[in-house]
Amino acid sequence: MSRFKNESAIPLSLETLWFTHSPPSFPYPALRQLGTILNANYAWQSTPSLTPGLGTEHIFIGAVAWAEDSNSTIHPPGPSGIITKIRVRWISTSPSSARAEVKNIFPTTPPARAEVTHTNLQRASEWYAPSILAYVKSHVGLTVGDGECWTLAYMALQHAAAKALHEGREPPMLSTGRVHGSLIFEWTACEEFPITFSSGILRHVPTGIRAGDILELSDGRFRTRYAALTGLGLVGTRHEENVRFSAHTAVIVAVKMEDSTLGVVEQNGRARSVVGENEYNLSNMVSGVVRIYRPIGTSLVMGSNLHDVSLVGVCDEW
């Protein structure tokens, strides 16, 4: 557990009065900044004060389940098993005088991580890709959320999760940082060894790259050279176009493996803060890292037990 989640270091942000909102703004922003929250729940009770003129006495109890601390680009973070509980007491006539306390609950045994098999990856694509693709294609020309590239992938996964639950299936994990599921392809690009199918680099993706997978570029640089004619068409010149991304997320909608091209729908790419269509020819990538993720069900992230991060009943008592 990160030292920033020690009970004494957890910010309560009582001055923002988040606990008085209806519904309460929980988890509040300062709590979210401490790490990845896999689940949250809360309960409260209100009792008329026995002292005339004091209004109503309120007690709020909230709980968050933290993901494990991990910088892995291969595995999405699983549950740490650690739960933080926060209790706030206040009087309706004087919320600024609220008092709060924090306590952590630690697991007795670490949660297990399930193995992701070839069959799991195929089934995940069949379950979630149609909803992901429908969402991103329906938003071309629009701005989703804050207009960032990552937000489009996150919202598409959220849409797929709602559809899966409606159909009685487990939902996919949502994007956690720059991890969007199970890593199925990773390569560090260089000019000497272009990413092509003929070179064999793209031949060894176990389940193949599919529409609905999510592309993540890190420090990616693409160089495209082409010939152009000037004047009356008698003089040939060579032009070079360089495109660089420090970090960029896009949803794959088409795969042309023979020429190493991925068709994508992305936000904040060519058009600032707008969803649009684009293509990336991986053979033109001369530096940086390309990663491709397959959205997977939450049970494959959290282990075989879907209740690993359940908070049912946790807030019923302190």
Side-chain angles (χ1 to χ4, degrees), residues 5-307:
K5 298 191 196 85
N6 292 336
E7 293 173 356
S8 60
I10 292 178
L12 295 170
S13 299
L14 297 181
E15 70 282 359
T16 67
L17 302 181
W18 56 264
F19 48 89
T20 64
H21 300 168
S22 182
S25 302
F26 187 82
Y28 46 91
L31 191 62
R32 290 183 180 276
Q33 291 175 6
L34 296 183
T36 300
I37 295 174
L38 295 179
N39 198 4
N41 200 1
Y42 61 84
W44 72 89
Q45 64 182 52
S46 301
T47 307
S49 175
L50 297 178
T51 305
L54 282 185
T56 303
E57 296 179 356
H58 301 282
I59 299 177
F60 169 94
I61 298 177
V64 295
W66 299 102
E68 60 190 355
D69 291 325
S70 172
N71 293 321
S72 172
T73 59
I74 299 176
H75 299 293
S80 66
I82 301 170
I83 295 172
T84 294
K85 296 181 70 173
I86 297 174
R87 178 166 64 178
V88 183
R89 301 170 182 262
W90 76 99
I91 301 294
S92 60
T93 55
S94 182
S96 60
S97 61
R99 295 173 290 112
E101 50 194 322
V102 181
K103 73 175 179 180
N104 290 321
I105 302 173
F106 295 88
T108 54
T109 57
R113 184 187 293 276
E115 178 185 359
V116 181
T117 66
H118 180 87
T119 301
N120 293 146
L121 293 173
Q122 286 186 313
R123 183 182 298 119
S125 179
E126 294 167 0
W127 281 3
Y128 308 130
S131 298
I132 292 170
L133 294 171
Y135 182 87
V136 298
K137 290 179 180 179
S138 68
H139 285 78
V140 170
L142 305 175
T143 296
V144 174
D146 59 6
E148 294 296 330
C149 59
W150 179 90
T151 306
L152 177 65
Y154 181 87
M155 295 300 291
L157 286 167
Q158 199 169 58
H159 173 76
K163 184 73 178 299
L165 289 171
H166 179 73
E167 295 174 346
R169 297 172 176 166
E170 69 168 331
M173 67 161 278
L174 302 182
S175 300
T176 303
R178 294 285 174 177
V179 177
H180 312 280
S182 181
L183 184 68
I184 61 171
F185 178 76
E186 180 178 32
W187 192 262
T188 300
C190 63
E191 293 186 72
E192 293 78 11
F193 300 100
I195 303 174
T196 63
F197 185 76
S198 58
S199 69
I201 295 175
L202 290 173
R203 291 183 182 182
H204 303 294
V205 182
T207 63
I209 301 169
R210 299 185 177 187
D213 292 341
I214 297 177
L215 173 70
E216 187 68 39
L217 299 172
S218 177
D219 295 320
R221 181 183 170 205
F222 290 79
R223 177 185 296 160
T224 304
R225 294 189 177 97
Y226 56 93
L229 298 179
T230 62
L232 298 176
L234 301 177
V235 181
T237 61
R238 290 177 62 85
H239 289 262
E240 182 174 295
E241 181 182 25
N242 285 278
V243 178
R244 185 185 296 273
F245 295 102
S246 58
H248 188 61
T249 307
V251 176
I252 297 171
V253 297
V255 180
K256 303 174 185 177
M257 195 66 76
E258 64 281 356
D259 62 0
S260 311
T261 299
L262 301 177
V264 303
V265 171
E266 62 186 0
Q267 182 164 249
N268 204 25
R270 288 182 174 177
R272 183 174 179 81
S273 299
V274 174
V275 178
E277 297 176 301
N278 199 1
E279 284 190 342
Y280 290 100
N281 189 319
L282 297 182
S283 66
N284 293 332
M285 189 172 177
V286 295
S287 64
V289 180
V290 55
R291 298 183 179 95
I292 297 175
Y293 293 92
R294 173 70 48 80
I296 56 174
T298 52
S299 65
L300 298 175
V301 181
M302 298 183 290
S304 58
N305 184 357
L306 278 174
H307 298 287

